[in-house]
Amino acid sequence: MTTYNSIQKRLTGRPTSDGAGVKLTRLIGGAPLQDLDPFLLLDHFGSHESSDYIAGFPEHPHRGFETVTYMLKGKMRHKDSAGNEGVISDGDIQWMTAGSGIIHSEMPEQSEGEMSGFQLWVNLPKSHKMTAPNYQEFKAAEIPVEQRDNGVQIKVIAGQTVQGTTGVINNDYVNPNYWDVKMPTGNTLTDHLPVDHNAFIYVYNGMIEIDGEHLKAGELAVLTPAETLLVNSLEEAHFLVISGQPLNEPVARYGPFVMNTMDEINQALQDFRDNKLV
Ligand code: FE
């Protein structure tokens, strides 16, 4: 085992649109990186132009995995077929286990100003793809932020830092880490990610250095496993650190359904047509 995580693969996202025409950058789930087990998709959305986001994501189904929405700026209203409804805004997290199925909409609750954030898809193991739908939703103020003496801030949404700060999300399926890290210029972050996890860093502001390589805003780095995560900030930097245990199971994927076999995908489509997704 090497001492420090290094960059195994780096990529920038592809501009695309989803929902009813929301402009976004797809980092995982497209040509540069189809998936990084257990992560199926990572989108970064962000614009000051309402025309880029106003159409939102009208009613659509999901089955077989979890959708994680982390808002940086703006307000999004979600509503589902089971009667759940709420608004997530600046700094809030919504970790939705779609499980056996849910039909929901995610629509902007604003007509101007900035809207930005991330959507991550986390796969469910075969044994729990048909689990009952569930939400874990937390306001920014409820999410712990580790404030280090050197000025580094780690907002721990899921998982645990070496200093013991523990996130608010429960997930025994892949035991994910989901940290939002903010570093002043010329600083150092030392931490640890489990060596049996697949892990990546996505920089959304500034520039950092990992094992001698620069990583700038808009770039995602898949990390090699190692004993110590060491990141230097070359500019004031803001980035996500995400890791999870791979499931090592077959992935059959069609639009908003992610199962293990094509038969299960066809069943999901049939259940959707028959109105059997909750
Ligand atoms: Fe959705």
Side-chain angles (χ1 to χ4, degrees):
M1 186 60 54
T2 52
T3 309
Y4 298 111
N5 298 95
S6 58
I7 296 176
Q8 182 178 75
K9 181 186 171 92
R10 67 162 66 220
L11 59 102
T12 53
R14 297 252 171 115
T16 184
S17 71
D18 209 339
V22 178
K23 284 192 186 161
L24 49 84
T25 302
R26 181 146 298 161
L27 291 140
I28 301 176
L33 187 60
Q34 281 299 334
D35 60 31
L36 182 70
D37 190 7
F39 306 110
L40 301 159
L41 176 140
L42 177 69
D43 284 341
H44 181 191
F45 52 92
S47 180
H48 288 80
E49 298 297 324
S50 67
S51 58
D52 288 344
Y53 60 74
I54 202 70
F57 302 88
E59 272 203 352
H60 58 278
H62 292 291
R63 173 180 277 182
F65 60 101
E66 303 184 295
T67 68
V68 179
T69 306
Y70 178 37
M71 289 298 288
L72 293 177
K73 263 273 180 271
K75 286 186 169 56
M76 188 87 92
R77 175 174 294 273
H78 72 93
K79 221 186 247 192
D80 75 20
S81 49
N84 300 297
E85 184 171 356
V87 173
I88 54 172
S89 61
D90 306 27
D92 299 349
I93 188 90
Q94 184 198 62
W95 199 293
M96 183 185 86
T97 307
S100 60
I102 211 156
I103 296 169
H104 75 163
S105 61
E106 297 150 293
M107 300 299 288
E109 185 85 345
Q110 64 189 55
S111 52
E112 55 182 23
E114 181 183 353
M115 169 162 295
S116 61
F118 302 96
Q119 181 153 129
L120 176 74
W121 289 8
V122 185
N123 208 357
L124 285 168
K126 187 178 173 61
S127 57
H128 286 82
K129 282 193 173 290
M130 296 298 278
T131 192
N134 183 48
Y135 286 93
Q136 299 182 71
E137 200 169 310
F138 295 91
K139 293 283 165 205
E142 300 174 286
I143 304 170
V145 178
E146 184 174 297
Q147 178 72 57
R148 297 197 173 171
D149 293 343
N150 63 0
V152 173
Q153 280 181 12
I154 310 177
K155 181 173 173 178
V156 185
I157 293 164
Q160 195 174 45
T161 67
V162 276
Q163 295 192 8
T165 305
T166 303
V168 285
I169 299 299
N170 285 312
N171 179 314
D172 295 334
Y173 309 124
V174 299
N175 297 299
N177 284 294
Y178 192 136
W179 308 341
D180 184 10
V181 183
K182 193 176 178 181
M183 289 176 75
T185 308
N187 225 305
T188 300
L189 164 75
T190 306
D191 216 286
H192 170 75
L193 295 169
V195 295
D196 61 342
H197 279 199
N198 282 328
F200 67 88
I201 285 182
Y202 174 64
V203 181
Y204 62 93
N205 256 316
M207 196 192 290
I208 58 174
E209 182 188 50
I210 301 169
D211 198 31
E213 287 193 71
H214 295 182
L215 200 68
K216 63 179 194 296
E219 290 186 306
L220 182 149
V222 178
L223 303 176
T224 60
E227 283 159 17
T228 302
L229 174 68
L230 183 66
V231 176
N232 294 309
S233 52
L234 303 171
E235 296 171 1
E236 182 178 290
H238 231 138
F239 55 94
L240 303 179
V241 177
I242 295 177
S243 79
Q245 271 166 357
L247 295 168
N248 294 311
E249 292 177 345
V251 173
R253 174 171 190 162
Y254 182 79
F257 306 117
V258 184
M259 305 300 288
N260 300 109
T261 67
M262 274 320 288
D263 279 353
E264 291 164 347
I265 291 289
N266 289 330
Q267 186 63 53
L269 288 163
Q270 188 62 48
D271 288 350
F272 180 48
R273 280 191 294 266
D274 294 346
N275 256 328
K276 285 190 195 155
L277 262 70
V278 185

